[in-house]
Amino acid sequence: MLLEVRHVTQYHYAETVRESVLEVWMQPQKGARQRLISFELELDPPAQLFSYADAYGNAVYHFDVPQPHDRLNIVARSAVETQAPPPLPDALDMGEWDRLRGEFVRGENFDFLRHHGFAIETEALKAFMVERDIDQLRSRDPLTAVRTLSTIIYESFAYEPGVTDADSPIDQALGARSGVCQDFAHIMIAICRSWGIPARYVSGYLFTDRQAGDRSDPDATHAWVEVFLPSTRWIGLDPTNNVMAGERHIAAAVGRDYADVPPSRGVYKGDAESQLAVG
């Protein structure tokens, strides 16, 4: 599938600020399932761009706007060709749990096995797991368990923007039984890690298909989960829409949680309130 993405970010400041320094995680990844055809960033006011790869291999663009300004526009344009992932088996054997406990698997995925940041095991999460009898899924093979977990999260939470913010803890979504893709991804990651399954946060884009039942906002970035199973390697699950990540998903960056890979992050010099608009 050939997909084009135009990602617009606008910062508006109530007063003129002296300088802005930002980093963005917007370039789609390059991989066997995802071919990056083109990527460009347009900045207004203009600034010189520098790029580097972070600890997880994501492309990060850094820039400094040194002159006074009262607005900052960032337009990222991408063209990506995606392919559907190879079909998965209906189930794995129960020995997969033992393979997950192997020293090599645990060593290679150390960062994605530890509770961290937003994806942590809180008392509210433990109560939710008891309420939905989630730990009984461990009596099944890991692939069946994570697929069923994704469905349970989809059925347990309403998709409702505005209930949580980008920096909201998972307890807020757990209490309201509603939230957005970021919240559902953090909840699923925390549960998978509690089972000993490496799980990471994926930020990117989804070509939304409302007729197929997608709940995601088509004018927003998207987030989902990838889990590592020794027999399948990394596989993507989208608990927001109760689907496996496929050719409609464009991965931009992976990390332990949202804080590792926000679309943009930075600071500015000046005594002014700022407003952010994204499309």
Side-chain angles (χ1 to χ4, degrees):
M1 181 178 287
L2 180 61
L3 298 168
E4 294 183 348
V5 182
R6 181 172 179 267
H7 182 171
V8 180
T9 306
Q10 299 177 328
Y11 291 92
H12 295 276
Y13 305 103
E15 304 289 341
T16 300
V17 300
R18 300 189 299 278
E19 182 179 12
S20 294
V21 180
L22 281 92
E23 292 186 324
V24 300
W25 285 257
M26 296 179 182
Q27 177 182 299
Q29 292 183 328
K30 304 172 185 177
R33 194 188 64 79
Q34 184 171 287
R35 184 170 71 92
L36 180 61
I37 297 171
S38 64
F39 176 75
E40 61 180 26
L41 275 174
E42 178 184 313
L43 307 176
D44 184 20
Q48 186 172 1
L49 282 165
F50 301 91
S51 65
Y52 67 93
D54 67 12
Y56 302 108
N58 305 307
V60 186
Y61 288 84
H62 171 100
F63 61 91
D64 179 1
V65 181
Q67 70 267 34
H69 55 283
D70 59 9
R71 59 174 177 78
L72 173 60
N73 293 338
I74 307 168
V75 180
R77 294 183 177 87
S78 309
V80 183
E81 185 178 22
T82 62
Q83 294 182 353
L88 292 170
D90 292 335
L92 300 176
D93 64 81
M94 294 299 290
E96 193 76 358
W97 289 112
D98 294 326
R99 291 188 281 274
L100 281 165
R101 289 189 285 268
E103 290 186 9
F104 179 78
V105 171
R106 297 185 65 81
E108 285 294 302
N109 299 290
F110 177 78
D111 278 345
F112 304 121
L113 279 166
R114 295 186 305 139
H115 292 299
H116 173 82
F118 296 107
I120 58 175
E121 194 174 21
T122 66
E123 292 303 317
L125 181 65
K126 292 177 182 177
F128 170 70
M129 293 173 68
V130 170
E131 173 194 323
R132 296 305 306 262
D133 199 17
I134 284 174
D135 268 341
Q136 61 83 22
L137 296 177
R138 300 177 71 175
S139 64
R140 310 180 191 180
D141 71 277
L143 178 57
T144 301
V146 296
R147 281 170 163 163
T148 307
L149 173 61
S150 181
T151 299
I152 289 174
I153 292 173
Y154 171 81
E155 293 174 346
S156 300
F157 295 87
Y159 183 87
E160 189 174 349
V163 173
T164 58
D165 299 316
D167 58 354
S168 295
I170 59 173
D171 285 3
Q172 195 162 327
L174 286 164
R177 285 295 192 271
S178 59
V180 293
C181 56
Q182 174 182 312
D183 306 303
F184 310 149
H186 285 148
I187 290 168
M188 183 167 176
I189 288 169
I191 294 173
C192 287
R193 290 176 183 170
S194 74
W195 289 346
I197 298 177
R200 62 190 185 187
Y201 182 97
V202 188
S203 68
Y205 308 98
L206 173 67
F207 180 59
T208 305
D209 186 347
R210 292 292 194 189
Q211 292 184 345
D214 288 346
R215 303 190 297 178
S216 303
D217 183 350
D219 201 33
T221 56
H222 192 46
W224 60 98
V225 178
E226 286 184 347
V227 300
F228 182 89
L229 301 176
S231 297
T232 64
R233 312 298 291 179
W234 290 104
I235 58 173
L237 300 103
D238 183 350
T240 301
N241 300 302
N242 196 27
V243 296
M244 303 294 292
E247 61 183 347
R248 295 188 293 112
H249 292 75
I250 299 175
V254 299
R256 295 165 296 180
D257 65 354
Y258 169 81
D260 280 343
V261 288
S264 63
R265 177 168 61 204
V267 295
Y268 61 88
K269 294 180 181 178
D271 185 15
E273 294 293 324
S274 66
Q275 291 185 333
L276 171 64
V278 178

